[in-house]
Amino acid sequence: MRIIMIHALAESVHPVKVAFGDIFPEAEVFNLLDEALFVDFKGEVTPQLRRRMSQLICYCEEYGADAIGLACSVYAPVVDTAKGLVDVPVVSSYSPVMEEAVRSGNRIGIIASNEGTLKDSVYYLNRAAEEQGKVVETELCAAAELMPLLRTQGEEAYTVRLEELVNQLAEKVDAVLLGQFSMGTALNRLQATCPVPVLSGPHSSAKKLKELLSVPAGTGLND
């Protein structure tokens, strides 16, 4: 089974490899990186950016994808319309992890390195809660220092700081949601030290895609 993940940041590629290795190792996973998607994003998904992402999604199907996942959170709104353009499942970076977070409790902590991601995360979390007939409370942690730390001091320094922040957040919530794909490589370590469940976008996406592709014979993927 071929899965293609679309990325706007190079930092999200390795977490995807780790997550699928943990959850769905039998899948053939390819990573499509277009860093201009991040550079050209100026606070909103314009018609031009929506069209570019839609073209990439269509390209992935033409390349033989059995399913497509987005690792770039700001492009989640494109998924709703892109599903009508292809005949394979398309999963946003938010949907699977938000569904899992809502099932984990009523108080959800979210950590991300920028305010925009936190804002989008709250929106999609509330949408997932509404779909499940629940109401959730959020505790937010904006950790602007994380990405510079990763780029200048490496993954170990990044993970140590992330672990500190996640454990502080865990004191107030039922579960902690890692708001960015780049945080997914630290999941196993965080789960080992955190007193509440820690959820990772790439891991939740791997679970969802495995579920979507593991269907009985004769059952349509989009049924």
Side-chain angles (χ1 to χ4, degrees):
M1 294 179 183
R2 175 173 291 184
I3 295 170
I4 301 181
M5 299 292 296
I6 302 175
H7 303 258
L9 289 171
E11 287 83 359
S12 66
V13 174
H14 182 56
V16 162
K17 292 179 180 179
V18 170
F20 277 88
D22 289 343
I23 303 295
F24 197 5
E26 61 270 34
E28 184 183 32
V29 181
F30 293 92
N31 293 283
L32 177 60
L33 173 64
D34 182 352
E35 293 177 302
L37 288 171
F38 178 76
V39 173
D40 294 340
F41 178 79
K42 305 300 182 184
E44 66 173 326
V45 180
T46 63
Q48 291 81 7
L49 290 174
R50 183 180 291 273
R51 184 164 59 250
R52 279 167 54 183
M53 177 56 78
S54 298
Q55 288 169 342
L56 286 175
I57 290 170
C58 291
Y59 167 79
C60 290
E61 185 189 33
E62 292 168 4
Y63 185 65
D66 296 301
I68 301 162
L70 270 61
C72 31
S73 58
V74 296
Y75 287 93
V78 179
V79 170
D80 289 338
T81 53
K83 286 180 178 178
L85 301 176
V86 295
D87 292 320
V88 298
V90 183
V91 172
S92 79
S93 61
Y94 279 131
S95 180
V97 74
M98 296 306 172
E99 292 173 6
E100 193 171 352
V102 172
R103 293 194 297 268
S104 299
N106 297 322
R107 299 175 303 157
I108 308 299
I110 306 175
I111 182 168
S113 63
N114 65 77
E115 296 286 351
T117 298
L118 286 174
K119 181 180 177 181
D120 287 346
S121 296
V122 171
Y123 169 79
Y124 285 104
L125 180 65
N126 286 326
R127 194 165 92 168
E130 183 178 351
E131 290 172 354
Q132 295 185 37
K134 298 181 179 179
V135 176
V136 294
E137 299 176 4
T138 55
E139 187 75 30
L140 307 181
C141 176
E145 73 270 27
L146 284 175
M147 293 310 293
L149 195 63
L150 176 62
R151 289 165 179 163
T152 60
Q153 297 187 36
E155 192 164 323
E156 178 60 23
Y158 169 87
T159 302
V160 167
R161 181 56 179 154
L162 178 60
E163 186 176 13
E164 292 172 352
L165 293 171
V166 165
N167 278 284
Q168 291 172 14
L169 198 53
E171 297 174 2
K172 310 170 188 176
V173 297
D174 300 318
V176 175
L177 191 158
L178 305 178
Q180 290 160 269
F181 262 50
S182 58
M183 298 174 176
T185 52
L187 181 65
N188 291 336
R189 178 164 166 176
L190 295 173
Q191 288 179 328
T193 62
C194 187
V196 301
V198 182
L199 307 174
S200 144
H203 285 79
S204 294
S205 290
K207 290 177 189 176
K208 184 68 173 181
L209 288 164
K210 184 174 184 177
E211 174 189 324
L212 289 170
L213 292 174
S214 299
V215 296
T219 301
L221 287 172
N222 290 315
D223 289 353

